[in-house]
Amino acid sequence: PAPAMAEPVPPRMDIAPRDAPARRSGDIVSSLRRWNPTKTPKTTVTLALYLFGLFVAFVARPPVTITDQMQTRYFEMMDAADAVDAAPRAEAERLLADASMARHRAETWGWRFNSERKAKVHELRSLEKERFKQAEVYRKRRDAMVKEAKGELGLWSQLGIDEAKAMFRKAYERGKLFATRSSYYDTFWLIVAGRSDDSMVELLIRWGFTVLSNFTVGMFSAVINFAFALPSMIATFASTGWASASAFFLVAVVAASSVAASLLLLLFGTAGGVVYGAVAAGPVLARLEASGRERERIRMI
């Protein structure tokens, strides 16, 4: 009789073929090749603005070149601004600082409930306001001269771009500080109020999403604060028209948004890799925790 043919062994579905990564990368490449920017205008515009913002933030050079003559004129005007009313302005600033310090020392605990101390605080506040007005006169005079000096270089010069970058850096640091502090507090309460039957994987995933949400809020607030503070910086440059100021504002906000989005993309990508690894190692960790609980139960018996 003819030998019986062996039945084909069905492939195991839990084992990926060796060419699976290459196939996935090929699918991504083919999807990019088939992508038509005209069919997805919103995605195309968003991606273009994102790349444009990164180019402005890290690659582009200032459109206005500072010449030696412009730089010399700028330093001369700044020296003149610093020299104007130097002595009375310094005296006014000193008197204002003394009045502020005296008012701060008088505002001790319970001063609102003591009529004598309350009258003293109101008197010091009035003195502080009066000295602030005196100092503000000299400040405005100097600020006007500084504005003219900065206008000599222009808003689109290296000076204006450096000031905008420094302003965003401060806003970014405040947003990062908020996200870090919030993550510390949330981690503390996550550990304290966490359930005892939670696995390590669940705890890590919840902690990761908490950190991501805090940094998302922090970067969003950094961009918003930068956008609100930018007009005051633009106003310190003389001879800046509305069109130029509006264009500078839009370009700066787009660049700041691109930098913040890059940080968030990096964090979300890292978190995605960590979550993928945690889920992949979940069964192993679950078995280890189960064996540990079983040993503990046997030891208690």
Side-chain angles (χ1 to χ4, degrees):
M5 297 182 62
E7 295 184 359
V9 179
R12 292 181 60 183
M13 303 303 293
D14 58 340
I15 301 179
R18 294 181 179 180
D19 60 342
R23 188 179 304 171
R24 286 195 295 267
S25 62
D27 293 340
I28 295 175
V29 173
S30 60
S31 300
L32 291 176
R33 289 178 178 177
R34 292 194 304 267
W35 178 52
N36 187 0
T38 59
K39 293 183 179 180
T40 56
K42 295 182 179 180
T43 304
T44 303
V45 172
T46 303
L47 182 60
L49 289 176
Y50 170 72
L51 296 177
F52 173 73
L54 292 182
F55 173 78
V56 170
F58 300 107
V59 181
R61 294 189 176 185
V64 175
T65 303
I66 300 177
T67 62
D68 294 338
Q69 183 180 2
M70 295 169 58
Q71 188 173 5
T72 302
R73 179 62 178 165
Y74 168 74
F75 285 123
E76 290 177 353
M77 298 177 70
M78 287 297 297
D79 291 340
D82 292 335
V84 63
D85 299 329
R89 176 160 48 86
E91 182 65 18
E93 294 291 345
R94 187 188 65 80
L95 293 176
L96 175 61
D98 293 343
S100 299
M101 183 62 66
R103 189 263 309 165
H104 178 72
R105 291 176 178 174
E107 290 179 347
T108 56
W109 185 86
W111 66 270
R112 296 180 183 274
F113 305 101
N114 188 299
S115 58
E116 183 178 353
R117 292 162 59 188
K118 187 175 182 180
K120 181 65 175 180
V121 169
H122 287 302
E123 179 183 354
L124 291 175
R125 284 183 176 181
S126 301
L127 178 62
E128 183 182 8
K129 290 181 180 180
E130 180 181 354
R131 292 185 175 178
F132 175 78
K133 292 179 180 179
Q134 295 174 359
E136 193 69 11
V137 174
Y138 298 107
R139 290 176 181 176
K140 290 182 178 179
R141 191 175 303 172
R142 181 185 179 277
D143 291 343
M145 299 182 67
V146 170
K147 183 176 181 180
E148 293 296 331
K150 295 169 68 174
E152 186 70 21
L153 300 181
L155 179 62
W156 293 90
S157 64
Q158 188 67 48
L159 177 64
I161 293 176
D162 287 345
E163 287 193 9
K165 288 183 177 181
M167 184 176 294
F168 174 71
R169 196 175 296 112
K170 291 180 180 180
Y172 165 77
E173 291 296 334
R174 288 195 297 267
K176 186 178 70 173
L177 181 61
F178 164 80
T180 304
R181 288 180 176 177
S182 300
S183 299
Y184 285 154
Y185 297 147
D186 293 339
T187 302
F188 172 77
W189 289 112
L190 183 65
I191 296 174
V192 172
R195 296 176 300 181
S196 59
D197 57 344
D198 288 342
S199 64
M200 183 63 66
V201 176
E202 295 175 345
L203 186 64
L204 288 176
I205 291 177
R206 284 209 306 271
W207 176 80
F209 278 111
T210 300
V211 173
L212 289 177
S213 62
N214 289 331
F215 271 91
T216 300
V217 174
M219 292 300 101
F220 181 77
S221 63
V223 175
I224 295 299
N225 292 333
F226 172 72
F228 275 98
L230 191 58
S232 61
M233 189 276 293
I234 296 176
T236 60
F237 286 80
S239 304
T240 303
W242 283 102
S244 179
S246 301
F248 187 91
F249 176 84
L250 292 176
V251 171
V253 171
V254 169
S257 302
S258 298
V259 174
S262 298
L263 176 63
L264 292 178
L265 287 175
L266 179 62
L267 291 177
F268 274 90
T270 304
V274 172
V275 170
Y276 177 81
V279 171
V284 178
L285 295 176
R287 288 195 296 269
L288 290 176
E289 289 187 2
S291 62
R293 291 175 182 174
E294 183 65 20
R295 287 195 300 268
E296 184 67 20
R297 187 180 66 83
I298 294 175
R299 190 181 65 83
M300 295 298 294
I301 293 177

